[in-house]
C-alpha cells in the first residue's frame, strides 16, 4: 500500500471507529483488510484477506477505495465497487462513480455500512461501463473482531459418548414381533360385526317410525288447511251483509222547449245523397 493511500486509510479508519463506537462492555478489536483489488478486478472475501483465522466474529463496517480514472472528458464512463451477497440474492454492497462529462483524476472514498457479518459478504469486483480505464485500484474493508468468539471456538468441550439404543434387543419390542393367533382376531371381528349389524337395524327401525309419524302429522295438517281454505272460499255471508236504500228517484232533466226544429243541413245532405243514388242506378240500368 503506497504512503498516500496508507495516510488516507488511517484517517478514514479513525473516522469510522468514531462513527461506530461501541459500548464499554464490548472488547472488540478494530482493523482493516489488505488491498483486495491488488492485481485483479475481482476477489474472494476470505479470512486471509482480513488476517484472521476464521470469518466467525468478524463484522464489516465500511469500505475504503481509491483509483485513478483515465478517460476523455466527453466519454461516458462509470466505475462501481460491488460485493455479491453470500446467499446469492443480488448485491450486498455497491458504490458507483459516474465520470461522464468529467476529466479523469484520482478518487479516494470511504463508504460506511451497518455492521454485517463477514460471512454474508460474497465475491467482490470492480465493474466498469463505458469508455475509460482505471489505474492503481485499492479496495480496503474496515471491520471489527470479537476475540471472545475466537476464544469460545478454541475452547469447545468434547462431546460426551452416548450409548446407542438397540431396539431389537428390547424385550417389549420382541414380544410385539412374535406371531399372533389369527383365529382370536377373526372371532373378535365376527362378534363386533354382529353387534354393529344389530345396532344398525335398531337405528333404522327408529328412523322409519319417526318418519312415519312425521308423515301422518303432515298429512293431517295438510287436510285441515285444505278444509279451512274451502270453507273460506264457500262462505257467502259477505254477499248479504250490505243492504240497498229504497225510495223514489225523481227526474231532474227538464226540457225548456217542447218543439225541436229540423236540422236543415241534415235534410240537404240526405237530398244530395238520394240524387247521387238515382244517378248511379240510371247508369247501371243502361
Amino acid at each position: 500500500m503506497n504512503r498516500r493511500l496508507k495516510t488516507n486509510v488511517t484517517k478514514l479508519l479513525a473516522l469510522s471507529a468514531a462513527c461506530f463506537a461501541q459500548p464499554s462492555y464490548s472488547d472488540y478489536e478494530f482493523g482493516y483488510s489488505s488491498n483486495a483489488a491488488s492485481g485483479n478486478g475481482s476477489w474472494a472475501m476470505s479470512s486471509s484477506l482480513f488476517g484472521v483465522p476464521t470469518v466467525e466474529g468478524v463484522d464489516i463496517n465500511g469500505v475504503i477505495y481509491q483509483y485513478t480514472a483515465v478517460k476523455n472528458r466527453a466519454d461516458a464512463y462509470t466505475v462501481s465497487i460491488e460485493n455479491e451477497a453470500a446467499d446469492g440474492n443480488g448485491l450486498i454492497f455497491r458504490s458507483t462513480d459516474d465520470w461522464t462529462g468529467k476529466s479523469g483524476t484520482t478518487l479516494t472514498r470511504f463508504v460506511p455500512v451497518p455492521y454485517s457479518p463477514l460471512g454474508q459478504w460474497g465475491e467482490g469486483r470492480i465493474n466498469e461501463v463505458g469508455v475509460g480505464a482505471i489505474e492503481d485500484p485499492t479496495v480496503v474493508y474496515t471491520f471489527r473482531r470479537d476475540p471472545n468468539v475466537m476464544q469460545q471456538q478454541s475452547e469447545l468441550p468434547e462431546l460426551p459418548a452416548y450409548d446407542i439404543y438397540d431396539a431389537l434387543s428390547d424385550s417389549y419390542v420382541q414380544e410385539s414381533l412374535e406371531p399372533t393367533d389369527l383365529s382370536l382376531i377373526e372371532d373378535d371381528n365376527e362378534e363386533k360385526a354382529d353387534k354393529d349389524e344389530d345396532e344398525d337395524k335398531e337405528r333404522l327401525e327408529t328412523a322409519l317410525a319417526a318418519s312415519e309419524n312425521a308423515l301422518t302429522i303432515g298429512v293431517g295438517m295438510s287436510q285441515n288447511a285444505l278444509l279451512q281454505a274451502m270453507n273460506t272460499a264457500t262462505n257467502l255471508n259477505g254477499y248479504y251483509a250490505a243492504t240497498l236504500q229504497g225510495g223514489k228517484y225523481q227526474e231532474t232533466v227538464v226540457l225548456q222547449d217542447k218543439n225541436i226544429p229540423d236540422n236543415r243541413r241534415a235534410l240537404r245532405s240526405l237530398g244530395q245523397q238520394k240524387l247521387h243514388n238515382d244517378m248511379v242506378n240510371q247508369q247501371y240500368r243502361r
Side-chain angles (χ1 to χ4, degrees), residues 12-25:
L12 292 175
L13 182 60
L15 176 62
S16 65
C19 293
F20 298 96
Q22 297 299 310
S24 58
Y25 61 81

Side-chain angles (χ1 to χ4, degrees), residues 128-270:
E128 303 174 63
V129 178
V131 181
I134 59 173
E135 296 178 350
D136 301 326
T138 300
V139 179
V140 175
Y141 296 90
T142 61
F143 67 92
R144 69 179 183 182
R145 183 172 70 95
D146 187 358
N148 295 326
V149 175
M150 308 296 179
Q151 183 178 0
Q152 291 174 2
Q153 290 180 348
S154 61
E155 297 178 357
L156 289 177
E158 295 182 0
L159 295 177
Y162 294 97
D163 295 333
I164 300 176
Y165 171 72
D166 186 3
L168 295 178
S169 63
D170 194 313
S171 59
Y172 296 101
V173 176
Q174 292 177 356
E175 291 179 0
S176 64
L177 295 177
E178 292 180 356
T180 305
D181 189 355
L182 298 179
S183 61
L184 298 177
I185 298 177
E186 292 177 356
D187 293 341
D188 292 340
N189 292 337
E190 291 178 358
E191 183 179 354
K192 183 178 180 181
D194 294 339
K195 184 178 179 181
D196 293 342
E197 184 177 358
D198 294 338
E199 291 179 356
D200 292 340
K201 289 181 179 180
E202 184 178 354
R203 285 195 296 268
L204 180 59
E205 292 175 356
T206 303
L208 291 174
S211 300
E212 184 177 358
N213 292 337
L215 181 59
T216 302
I217 295 172
V219 171
M221 294 179 65
S222 300
Q223 291 177 351
N224 292 335
L226 180 60
L227 292 175
Q228 184 177 358
M230 293 174 63
N231 290 335
T232 302
T234 57
N235 187 5
L236 302 179
N237 293 331
Y239 290 97
Y240 304 99
T243 57
L244 296 177
Q245 298 295 332
K248 296 182 180 180
Y249 290 91
Q250 299 294 335
E251 182 65 42
T252 59
V253 179
V254 179
L255 295 176
Q256 299 296 332
D257 191 356
K258 296 181 180 180
N259 296 324
I260 300 176
D262 296 331
N263 190 344
R264 296 181 179 180
R265 292 183 179 178
L267 294 175
R268 186 182 303 111
S269 177
L270 291 175

Side-chain angles (χ1 to χ4, degrees), residues 7 59 89 228 281:
T7 302
D59 298 324
N89 294 326
Q228 184 177 358
N281 292 333

Side-chain angles (χ1 to χ4, degrees), residues 73-132:
R73 183 183 183 90
D75 293 337
Y77 183 59
T78 60
V79 178
S80 299
I81 311 299
E82 303 174 347
N83 273 93
E84 295 181 356
D87 58 4
N89 294 326
L91 299 176
I92 193 173
F93 174 80
R94 171 187 282 173
S95 179
T96 301
D97 305 312
D98 189 356
W99 293 92
T100 303
K102 300 176 183 178
S103 300
T105 185
T106 301
L107 174 68
T108 303
R109 177 166 295 178
F110 168 60
V111 183
V113 298
Y115 282 109
S116 55
L118 175 57
Q120 296 179 359
W121 290 63
E123 180 180 339
R125 60 175 174 265
I126 300 176
N127 187 14
E128 303 174 63
V129 178
V131 181

